[in-house]
Structures are given as C-alpha cells and as structure tokens.
Amino acid sequence: MLNLYNTLTRQKEPFRPMEPGKVRMYVCGMTVYDYCHLGHARVLVVFDMVYRYLLAQGYEVTYVRNITDIDDKIIRRAAENGEAIDALTGRFIQAMHEDADALGVLRPTHEPRATQHVHDILHMIQRLMDRGYAYVGENGDVYYSVSRFDGYGRLSGRRLEDLRAGERVAPDESKRDPLDFVLWKAAKPGEPAWDSPWGPGRPGWHIECSAMSTHYLGNHFDLHGGGQDLQFPHHENEIAQSEAATCEHFVNYWMHNGFVRVDEEKMSKSLGNFFTVRQVLEHYRPEEIRYFILGSHYRSPLNYNDQALEAARSALSRLYTALRGLEPAHPGDAGAPWRDRFNAAMDDDFNTPEALSVLFDLAREVNRLRQTDPQEAAPLAGCLKALGGILGLLQADPEGFFQQDGTGDAVDAAEIEALIQQRLEARQRRDFTEADRIRDDLKARGILLEDGPEGTTWRRG
RNA sequence: GGCUGGGUGGCAGAGUGGUGAUGCAGCGGCCUGCAAAGCCGUGUACAUGGGUUCGAUUCCCGUCCCAGCCUCCA
C-alpha cells in the first residue's frame, strides 16, 4: 500500500483515492517565458515518476499539468523582445515539450493553458464575489479577502497574525488587507485583456489553477503537487479560492518537491544561478539528468554540480552494463523478491534512492548469473528493465546507450569497428604492442574497448 | 522576528531503538596477453552536550551550523 507524505498533515498517510482504482492529480506546471531550468526539470521528472508508479500499480490516472501563458513576466518579456505574446509563449511551450520529451516525461492527460480557461476563471471569481469572498479594490483589481476564509494558512502552517507580523508584507492601498491577493487584474493600456464584469483585465496567477483543476478534475480530487515554493502562497490561495467557491473540500493529498541547489543555494532566476535543461544536455545524456533527479528523495534538496552528473553517469552505466548482451525475458516469478522490495521502497513515499538500490542488487544478480546460467539471467534482466521503466529509466538499447554520442566529439562507428578488427588481427598474431596502441589511441579519443567472451565491444566514456 | 526541513563513512545518498543500504572512489583477490567490465572480499559513519533506555546514529531537551518559506519563483 502506498504511503505518501501529505504536506497538509505533515505526515505520511496511506493513499486512498476517492474512487477505487482511479486517481485524479493536478500539478502546477510552468510559466512559459523562458527555457526550463533544472528546477522545472525536477518537477516534471518527480511527478512523472509518481504518475508512472500509479499507472504501474494499475490505477487509471487523470493527470493535469497546467501551463501559465499569461502573466506579468510574460508580458514584460514579450515587450522586451518586441514579440507577440502568443508567439513567445508558443515558442517556450514547444521548448518545454522538447525538454520534457528528452527527459522521458510522459505527456499528462490534459495540459490546459490559462488563456483557454478565462471563462472558467471568470465563473469562479463571480462565485467568490457572490459569496462575499472577493471585492473590487480602488484600482479596479479584484481581490480575495483572506480573512474571510477560516482555514487560511493551514497548508503552510501559518497563522494570519504571523503573516501580518512578517516584515516583508508590502502594504498596498487598494487592498483591505495586505495579505489579500489578486483574482483579476485590471488591464493597463496596451496590455492584453479579456472582458469581465469588472472591466477588461486578466486573471491573477492563483485563480487559474483553481479554475482549471476544478474544470478537469471536479471540486474535490485526490492529489495536488508542485514545487516547495508554491506551498505558500500559491497553494494556500488555491485552497482558499476553491473551497470558498465550491463549499467542498478541495484536495486530499498535497505533495511538494524540494529545490535544486547550486553551491547549497536555491537555484533560481533571481539569483541567476540556474542552468537550463538544454545547457546541461550539451554535456550529459537526458537519462543521466533523470537519474540524477531520482537519485535523491523528492522532498530533499538536490545539489547540482558536475560531479553529481558524473556520478549519475557511472551509476547508469553500471545498470546498463548488466543489461548488455542479454535479451530481457518476461520476468515471471523470478524477479519477485526484487520487485517486492522495489515496490516497498516506492510505497514508502516514493523512495526512489532506495528503489534504485534494489536495481543495483538486481544488476549484481544478473551479472553473477550471466556467467553461469544465462537462461536464468534473462528473466532477471527483464525484471531490471521493467522496474527501471517504472522510473522512466533503462529503456534504451544498452549498446545504443553506450555508443550514443552524448557528449559531442563524434567518432565514426564504422571507423571504430575497423580499428577493432585491426586490433583483433594484431592480437591473433600476438602483436600486443600494436593491439594496445590501437586501444590506447581510441581511449584518448574517448572510446573504451572491452574484450568479452563474445568479442570486443566499445563504448564512449 | 515567525514558521518548515536538515546535519550519516573520502564523496553522493537511503535507513534503523540492538547484524546489511546502494553508487562512486580506495584496498586485496578471481578473471584477462595486459586492460576494461564483471564477480568475491574489505570501512571503529551517523554535528555537539545532556536525558530516557538493558542498549540510541535512530526517541526527548538544549547548543551550534546549513537550507528554505514569510515578495515573483518549480
């Protein structure tokens, strides 16, 4: 049985979906005005892992991950670029899809965009107005009145008075309470706008997630995820909006993934210490990034540096090495002990590091058996590949993985094969000086030769 | 200032009230023409001071240190 840490209760709880066999989950996606950085990659990969595991457990999952395609930063960036807003967002949505695809992230069931749901947003704001939770400020913006909502602060463990005492709450004349947040932003001249009962404007950020999650998943659903920094205020505000508008409990389980760090510091745009996915992909294979992300527990901080990515590369190489030269067979019962351990680890709040350690134990067993009994090794290799697949790993052809050009500096495969042949001939006439020269030359070019029982194989190292 | 998390062996990173993580690196051995890969073996690790306990890295309290949220942020 799956247990997961629920931010709402600050403890691990057994996961019981509202409808047996079906899970409805919503994850806050990105605001598309720039390329994905590793922080975004972590959200994508972590919740993809959750999605895959739920699917593997036999659940029918409706997975919604939104795209914020209208907000201040987008408007500003478009203006800076002299680019139309939809051109800008279209460009970065495509880039995000490319990055997500590269990282092996499955497409969610629905990927709604805020601009396509303005109708739902207006409808929800109207309900909040009707129920007295919203008001129009002096500047024409529509605000949510935080003090009207009893449970405000529950998710993030704060009390209103503590928040008001915080030194960083900026007073705003048009708000009744500095903690109130905007539902509808009145348009300034030249800004994109939609008509509304409160004048032309655009949605505030928080309301879109309430409106879209409700639209696709109903008023009350199972699982809501996102980065830790969304816990407050974004998710707190979502709860306030949705529960005030629908009079129903909003979400049963809240999950938040930890940050990616650089030099023990949060990776963020404002600090300028971020690495985009495509920057990292210039030096590392996508699967190495995915392994790097899953090598830490999703709630822990994840420190980014080259050594960490190198370590991911080594670890992944070991797993693929175990798969090498074997035709993965249907595991049957042979893999049961490892499958059980794997599932136990995943059931414990998605403990991917522990689950990976099971994969290494399994890889050792495969390596041990392949020498003595390849018949038995094949089903275990099948198990290894299948369990890896639940994490979105190990699905490539092993030789392809070792030989693919992950790090630039292409050496022609045909040339390598020719040199291997030359070396083989040298070895046959016991000219080891020549044989070693060929091997050393290739090594200098990043190609490692390995003599096995079935001949010489090569890989990029 | 308020509120959250966390400090594990050379590094990364799980976990546990009393033998095992796992990966990388190291050391010894097997295999190999030599390597590589693989296999076998190999580590007085749990910030610090108290307390609870037959026994604590694991529970409780204090201290120090780190990160995060309280403003846009994944």
Side-chain angles (χ1 to χ4, degrees):
Chain A
M1 170 136 208
L2 173 61
N3 281 269
L4 56 82
Y5 182 87
N6 189 352
T7 310
L8 201 54
T9 56
R10 273 170 208 75
Q11 59 188 4
K12 287 181 194 171
E13 298 177 350
F15 178 66
R16 295 198 177 83
M18 295 167 61
E19 202 177 334
K22 295 188 179 178
V23 177
R24 288 173 287 157
M25 65 184 271
Y26 184 94
V27 170
C28 292
M30 18 174 345
T31 302
V32 282
Y33 68 101
D34 208 339
Y35 293 110
C36 291
H37 65 229
L38 284 176
H40 300 114
R42 190 173 193 191
V43 180
L44 291 170
V45 169
V46 161
F47 289 101
D48 181 63
M49 171 277 290
V50 170
Y51 180 41
R52 284 172 185 262
Y53 186 64
L54 292 171
L55 291 174
Q57 296 305 104
Y59 288 109
E60 185 185 310
V61 186
T62 307
Y63 176 22
V64 180
R65 190 186 63 216
N66 75 299
I67 293 173
T68 300
D69 61 349
I70 181 68
D71 95 318
D72 290 354
K73 288 190 291 281
I74 291 173
I75 293 169
R76 193 185 332 128
R77 181 63 59 89
E80 284 165 8
N81 291 358
E83 188 176 13
I85 284 175
D86 55 352
L88 176 86
T89 56
R91 213 152 53 79
F92 286 115
I93 288 170
Q94 192 188 334
M96 175 188 70
H97 284 151
E98 288 167 6
D99 292 342
D101 290 349
L103 294 172
V105 172
L106 301 173
R107 295 290 172 97
T109 320
H110 302 286
E111 198 174 41
R113 299 160 58 163
T115 56
Q116 296 166 339
H117 287 273
V118 174
H119 175 79
D120 295 312
I121 291 168
L122 289 172
H123 182 69
M124 188 172 262
I125 295 174
Q126 185 62 59
R127 296 197 41 120
L128 291 170
M129 286 295 262
D130 294 345
R131 293 177 192 279
Y133 285 94
Y135 62 91
V136 180
E138 285 171 26
N139 58 0
D141 290 356
V142 180
Y143 292 102
Y144 185 98
S145 183
V146 159
S147 59
R148 285 274 289 119
F149 184 72
D150 279 343
Y152 197 78
R154 199 155 54 99
L155 178 70
S156 51
R158 296 152 213 261
R159 294 170 305 169
L160 282 176
E161 50 267 43
D162 291 341
L163 286 164
R164 294 206 181 89
E167 17 182 75
R168 299 206 281 182
V169 177
D172 184 330
E173 291 305 312
S174 41
K175 294 183 189 178
R176 292 178 190 167
D177 184 321
L179 296 175
D180 290 348
F181 56 90
V182 70
L183 295 167
W184 187 256
K185 251 187 149 143
K188 299 193 187 77
E191 285 181 348
W194 288 260
D195 285 330
S196 87
W198 314 283
R202 64 179 184 277
W205 175 39
H206 312 294
I207 192 71
E208 68 172 84
C209 285
S210 285
M212 290 191 284
S213 60
T214 299
H215 179 269
Y216 289 96
L217 302 174
N219 294 345
H220 179 189
F221 56 94
D222 298 298
L223 191 59
H224 190 132
Q228 209 169 56
D229 43 3
L230 300 187
Q231 189 182 327
F232 186 90
H234 183 59
H235 290 160
E236 199 72 72
N237 293 351
E238 275 187 55
I239 293 171
Q241 292 164 336
S242 290
E243 298 194 349
T246 68
C247 298
E248 284 184 54
H249 184 64
F250 182 39
V251 168
N252 288 346
Y253 302 93
W254 286 88
M255 288 179 66
H256 294 93
N257 66 274
F259 297 126
V260 178
R261 293 188 196 171
V262 178
D263 296 331
E264 300 305 326
E265 199 171 43
K266 177 183 173 182
M267 179 181 289
S268 74
K269 303 234 168 174
S270 51
L271 287 166
N273 62 347
F274 63 92
F275 291 82
T276 64
V277 171
R278 38 197 68 201
Q279 277 175 317
V280 180
L281 283 175
E282 288 170 16
H283 305 286
Y284 298 96
R285 301 180 181 93
E287 196 171 349
E288 290 164 350
I289 300 177
R290 190 172 174 105
Y291 184 98
F292 161 67
I293 290 169
L294 296 177
S296 291
H297 184 82
Y298 75 88
R299 284 190 282 121
S300 300
L302 178 62
N303 217 30
Y304 171 79
N305 53 49
D306 281 349
Q307 294 88 320
L309 268 294
E310 295 291 344
R313 170 171 294 173
S314 303
L316 211 43
S317 295
R318 178 163 163 79
L319 293 176
Y320 267 115
T321 300
L323 256 23
R324 230 174 171 181
L326 288 172
E327 196 53 52
H330 184 74
D333 289 338
W338 291 276
R339 198 174 55 234
D340 291 348
R341 285 174 57 203
F342 180 91
N343 284 332
M346 293 296 282
D347 279 344
D348 184 14
D349 195 29
F350 304 102
N351 192 335
T352 52
E354 180 94 28
L356 286 169
S357 81
V358 176
L359 263 39
F360 286 103
D361 285 346
L362 183 52
R364 178 177 299 108
E365 194 61 19
V366 170
N367 286 331
R368 210 177 328 205
L369 283 174
R370 74 193 310 149
Q371 298 157 349
T372 56
D373 196 344
Q375 292 291 329
E376 281 190 54
L380 289 188
C383 184
L384 177 55
K385 185 169 179 178
L387 294 179
I390 294 173
L391 299 176
L393 299 170
L394 303 181
Q395 299 309 292
D397 168 63
E399 293 311 319
F401 175 84
F402 286 117
Q403 297 177 0
Q404 92 184 84
D405 183 25
T407 54
D409 192 33
V411 183
D412 182 47
E415 183 192 351
I416 296 167
E417 294 298 344
L419 287 167
I420 287 175
Q421 191 56 35
Q422 278 180 35
R423 176 166 168 273
L424 177 65
E425 287 160 16
R427 290 178 74 205
Q428 278 165 350
R429 61 178 187 267
R430 304 196 68 77
D431 181 357
F432 295 119
T433 311
E434 172 65 4
D436 290 349
R437 186 194 63 76
I438 293 171
R439 189 172 61 193
D440 290 344
D441 284 356
L442 279 171
K443 189 179 178 188
R445 294 162 70 184
I447 306 297
L448 302 179
L449 298 190
E450 297 168 321
D451 300 327
E454 283 118 49
T456 300
T457 55
W458 64 275
R459 61 190 177 95
R460 294 180 197 274

